[in-house]
Amino acid sequence: MAECFLMEVCVDSVESAVNAERGGAGRLELCSSLLEGGLTPSLGVLHVVKQYVKIPIYVMIRPRGGDFLYSDLEVDVMRKDIELMKSQGADGLVLGALTEDGRVDAELCMELLAAARPLPVTFHRAFDMVHDPAVALEALISLGFERVLTSGCDSSALEGLPLIKRLVDQAKGRIIIMPGGGITERNLQRILEGSGAQEFHCSARSSRESAMKFRNTCVSMGASFSAPEYGLKVADVSKVRTLNAIAKNTL
């Protein structure tokens, strides 16, 4: 039986979105600020990406970096973002929320899923911060999430592979388990074969030098640990193609 793997690429620019589709991605996760793990993108980006790509676009709903414990005001923003992204043609949404003791915030998720309807929703890597993954997975299934993105609650999907496999076995097709986190051409085959997952998530990016000739090296726009001021990271068509070929050859 030939399996068909679906590759989702997370992108934070129109150029990356176009490259991901050209390289064979089956779906985009559209964010801003991948440096912070992905935040809600602008409506402008969604609008322009939709003009250039045909594959489904799942939009990140995450108002800030850091933890996944949200205030009432942040929830207001998430609800409004869901409404706006839906109206601008998002094909699906990506979100997640936890309680202070590291459980899935079922009450808030139920509210956000209701706002998202009829769009399918992925629970993002907030899952990797839960106290008990097996219990959390059952919560996501009963809430009605379409899939969960996870590194197996570890620093990368390769480290988390044993848990990812257990989650795939536990899910029994009731929810899609999508490994993500540090997936490259070097480890993709091991992750697909070792987990039994049918979908995977990657950024497939390469670094590119800024085109700026004049540079002020005294000034940095963000915190000290931020991205290099004169470097860009963009999804790379050949990297996407390579990952896609590996997935096609993995049986």
Side-chain angles (χ1 to χ4, degrees):
M1 170 192 107
E3 297 179 80
C4 181
F5 295 101
L6 186 135
M7 169 170 41
E8 175 180 279
V9 180
C10 53
V11 300
D12 60 5
S13 68
V14 181
E15 183 183 0
S16 286
V18 169
N19 287 352
E21 184 179 61
R22 274 176 50 200
R27 181 171 61 236
L28 300 177
E29 180 196 79
L30 185 63
C31 317
S32 64
S33 203
L34 278 173
L35 187 70
E36 282 197 79
L39 305 177
T40 307
S42 77
L43 283 171
V45 171
L46 173 60
H47 196 84
V48 178
V49 167
K50 278 190 73 73
Q51 292 177 336
Y52 285 92
V53 307
K54 296 283 168 280
I55 57 175
I57 303 163
Y58 276 47
V59 175
M60 175 66 75
I61 304 292
R62 186 180 174 216
R64 58 160 173 79
D67 67 34
F68 302 101
L69 183 64
Y70 295 113
S71 69
D72 291 349
L73 291 173
E74 287 168 336
V75 171
D76 287 347
V77 171
M78 291 166 87
R79 267 202 306 257
K80 178 52 78 175
D81 278 334
I82 288 170
E83 180 191 314
L84 292 168
M85 295 302 171
K86 260 171 78 173
S87 72
Q88 290 304 305
D91 297 295
L93 301 170
V94 183
L95 55 87
L98 303 180
T99 60
E100 61 184 15
D101 55 355
R103 288 181 321 221
V104 171
D105 189 336
E107 198 181 340
L108 174 51
C109 285
M110 197 179 292
E111 188 186 323
L112 297 176
L113 282 166
R117 268 195 277 279
L119 295 186
V121 183
T122 299
F123 192 92
H124 58 43
R125 286 188 61 198
F127 185 84
D128 292 326
M129 301 300 189
V130 298
H131 174 64
D132 185 332
V135 171
L137 187 66
E138 293 303 324
L140 298 186
I141 290 165
S142 32
L143 283 162
F145 282 92
E146 178 185 56
R147 79 175 51 69
V148 55
L149 170 64
T150 179
S151 63
C153 304
D154 215 320
S155 54
S156 74
L158 191 59
E159 319 287 335
L161 191 53
L163 177 60
I164 295 171
K165 184 180 189 332
R166 288 205 300 277
L167 293 168
V168 170
D169 294 343
Q170 181 187 340
K172 293 190 177 69
R174 295 175 296 161
I175 188 172
I176 298 160
I177 310 292
M178 178 169 63
I183 292 184
T184 66
E185 46 267 54
R186 287 187 298 286
N187 60 30
L188 176 61
Q189 187 169 358
R190 266 169 75 191
I191 290 165
L192 293 178
E193 288 177 347
S195 66
Q198 297 296 299
E199 301 191 358
F200 65 97
H201 172 100
C202 57
S203 69
R205 292 187 299 170
S206 57
S207 297
R208 192 175 70 203
E209 200 39 20
S210 159
M212 283 298 294
K213 289 193 172 64
F214 172 77
R215 300 186 176 196
N216 181 350
T217 51
C218 304
V219 180
S220 166
M221 290 293 147
S224 53
F225 60 82
S226 65
E229 215 58 55
Y230 292 102
L232 300 157
K233 282 191 144 188
V234 183
D236 184 319
V237 178
S238 63
K239 280 193 181 183
V240 178
R241 278 208 183 105
T242 303
L243 286 157
N244 211 23
I246 293 168
K248 280 199 164 70
N249 292 327
T250 302
L251 291 175

